[in-house]
Amino acid sequence: ADELKSWRPVGIYYGQILIGFAMYGYFQEPSANSQVWLDRLLIDKTYQGNGYGKTAVIALIERLSKEYNCHRIYLSVYDNNQAAIRLYKQIGFYFNGEYDINGENVMVYDLTE
């Protein structure tokens, strides 16, 4: 976020307690395929397993939808991060068969469905 102004970092709070971090951004491509990415989501291990991650993702989807008036939200995840994959699938993300520049599987949330 310090190097690219397209990234927007945000804190994730439980009341007044900072429990996590997220980062998202809008990337306008030369083609018509501009994309909104939820690039980072971290919940402190002390607070994991309490539903805060799911709540945060749902809130971020709503925020990104309003902020960018987008139809899809993208994220990427490593194969071995099964907890994150389960969470994202439960919310409605699906794999689109693509990989990002780091070799992570790309998932998409379609706001039109």
Side-chain angles (χ1 to χ4, degrees):
D2 194 34
E3 295 175 16
L4 289 173
K5 298 302 178 201
S6 299
W7 289 122
R8 297 207 174 148
V10 292
I12 299 170
Y13 288 84
Y14 174 66
Q16 299 297 314
I17 303 168
L18 178 64
I19 63 167
F21 168 83
M23 187 168 68
Y24 63 88
Y26 172 76
F27 296 91
Q28 193 163 354
E29 301 294 324
S31 68
N33 296 328
S34 297
Q35 298 178 335
V36 174
W37 280 80
L38 174 54
D39 190 66
R40 297 282 185 270
L41 177 70
L42 304 143
I43 301 294
D44 183 280
K45 67 180 179 178
T46 305
Y47 298 96
Q48 291 178 6
N50 295 304
Y52 299 124
K54 182 176 182 179
T55 300
V57 172
I58 292 169
L60 285 162
I61 289 169
E62 185 176 321
R63 179 177 183 156
L64 298 177
S65 171
K66 289 179 182 175
E67 189 170 332
Y68 298 110
N69 192 29
C70 60
H71 300 291
R72 290 185 184 85
I73 297 171
Y74 296 82
L75 60 79
S76 58
V77 62
Y78 285 112
D79 286 333
N80 64 350
N81 194 347
Q82 291 300 308
I85 291 169
R86 278 191 303 277
L87 170 68
Y88 296 138
K89 282 184 172 181
Q90 185 181 49
I91 291 169
F93 282 88
Y94 59 89
F95 289 108
N96 69 354
E98 297 177 7
Y99 295 90
D100 72 3
I101 59 172
N102 297 315
E104 295 180 51
N105 290 298
V106 175
M107 297 184 85
V108 180
Y109 184 88
D110 193 334
L111 291 151
T112 61
E113 292 183 6

